[in-house]
Amino acid sequence: MKKRVFWALIILAFVVAVTMTAIISVTVAKRSQPKPNGEENNTQIGTLEGPSHLSPSETTEQSESESTEHTSEQTSSQEETSEVTTQMETTVQEETTEPAPSLEYESFGNGTCAVVGIGTYTDSYLTIPEKSPEGHIVIAISEKAFYGNSFIRAIEIPSTVSSIGDLAFAGCSQLVYLSVDDKNMMFTDVGGVLYNIDESMLICYPSASSSATLEISNSVTTICSMAFYGCENLKQINYSGSIEDWEKIEIREKNYGLYTAAMSFGK
């Protein structure tokens, strides 16, 4: 009787062991099977979006923080680049920009001024402006302002000039023509020769004038110093007055051209 019970227990234990082994094998087999496509995609998406231990709100906050930091870095970089570019442009401008050529002026302290020299001006055709770069009205051309200049060929005097000093244009070896604005109330030009407004004073005959003949009116009573200095092309002077009238004219110093040219008289 005891032997039968013993063998019955042995058989029962064996059955239980086999059953448990089968159950464990089925469970392991199920776990080792590949997941459906959707689950894999979800896992991948979760991995891309952020660590699995973060909640959705924490992940969003982290993304926004990283985006803000990146934008801030970009803005800072752009600002630095802009600042460097501006500094470079300023430096280049300072190195390449030079003051515009200008005559030399002297202010009278009342909003007016005089031209006193050629300054940095280099053009052979000179138009004297009505105002200086500082905005002062040009009312005078000083004594010897352009004396002995070797490159000016033509000079235009504005309407604002009411005073021209002695020898202002004397000895300008390349000067061909002088002109005066029609609105000027103090000076005028006749055929490129500079006179005062009533033509009683001949101020300057351009040294390099190509004309060989000059007509002088009997209205002239004064010929300024060096008015005919260096006039090598002048060969003939026709005076509308008499010899007696000519002898009454005040001819100032160094007008050698008057004595080398032939003279003719109207009366």
Side-chain angles (χ1 to χ4, degrees):
M1 183 67 181
K2 292 182 179 179
K3 288 184 178 180
R4 290 181 180 178
V5 172
F6 173 78
W7 284 112
L9 291 174
I10 293 296
I11 293 170
L12 179 61
F14 177 77
V15 172
V16 172
V18 170
T19 303
M20 291 299 294
T21 301
I23 293 172
I24 292 171
S25 297
V26 172
T27 303
V28 171
K30 287 183 178 181
R31 290 182 178 180
S32 63
Q33 288 181 357
K35 294 182 178 181
N37 292 334
E39 293 182 1
E40 289 180 353
N41 291 341
N42 290 339
T43 301
Q44 292 176 355
I45 292 172
T47 302
L48 290 176
E49 289 179 351
S52 59
H53 65 277
L54 295 178
S55 66
S57 61
E58 290 175 335
T59 302
T60 302
E61 290 176 358
Q62 182 179 16
S63 299
E64 291 178 352
S65 176
E66 291 176 352
S67 176
T68 302
E69 290 178 359
H70 183 65
T71 303
S72 177
E73 289 176 357
Q74 286 185 330
T75 303
S76 178
S77 177
Q78 291 174 354
E79 290 177 352
E80 290 177 358
T81 302
S82 177
E83 183 178 354
V84 170
T85 301
T86 302
Q87 290 176 351
M88 290 177 64
E89 291 176 350
T90 301
T91 301
V92 171
Q93 185 175 7
E94 289 176 351
E95 290 178 352
T96 58
T97 302
E98 296 180 358
S102 175
L103 299 174
E104 185 178 356
Y105 300 88
E106 182 178 307
S107 174
F108 294 132
N110 60 354
T112 64
C113 67
V115 175
V116 298
I118 192 65
T120 58
Y121 196 90
T122 58
D123 199 332
S124 59
Y125 295 88
L126 171 59
T127 298
I128 298 174
E130 292 186 352
K131 291 184 178 181
S132 70
E134 291 74 25
H136 301 154
I137 299 173
V138 177
I139 63 170
I141 300 172
S142 296
E143 178 180 343
K144 294 186 177 181
F146 303 103
Y147 180 86
N149 182 277
S150 61
F151 64 84
I152 296 177
R153 294 183 59 80
I155 298 175
E156 182 177 351
I157 300 170
S159 61
T160 55
V161 171
S162 58
S163 173
I164 298 176
D166 292 342
L167 308 178
F169 308 111
C172 294
S173 59
Q174 299 301 313
L175 187 60
V176 175
Y177 202 92
L178 283 155
S179 64
V180 181
D181 189 286
D182 292 338
K183 296 178 182 179
N184 192 295
M185 303 299 292
M186 301 299 294
F187 302 99
T188 188
D189 68 273
V190 179
V193 181
L194 180 62
Y195 293 86
N196 64 347
I197 193 64
D198 63 3
E199 298 181 33
S200 63
M201 178 181 290
L202 193 157
I203 299 170
C204 183
Y205 178 85
S207 299
S209 174
S210 59
S211 179
T213 303
L214 174 64
E215 304 291 333
I216 296 180
S217 170
N218 61 356
S219 63
V220 173
T221 59
T222 304
I223 296 176
C224 293
S225 298
M226 297 183 72
F228 287 92
Y229 185 84
C231 303
E232 297 179 357
N233 296 326
L234 183 60
K235 306 301 180 183
Q236 178 69 41
I237 295 176
N238 298 325
Y239 179 62
S240 64
S242 64
I243 296 177
E244 290 78 13
D245 293 332
W246 179 260
E247 291 176 348
K248 294 177 182 177
I249 294 175
E250 179 187 357
I251 301 175
R252 297 176 183 171
E253 60 182 356
K254 296 184 180 181
N255 279 295
Y256 308 124
L258 289 175
Y259 308 115
T260 58
M263 294 287 301
S264 69
F265 302 96
K267 295 181 183 179

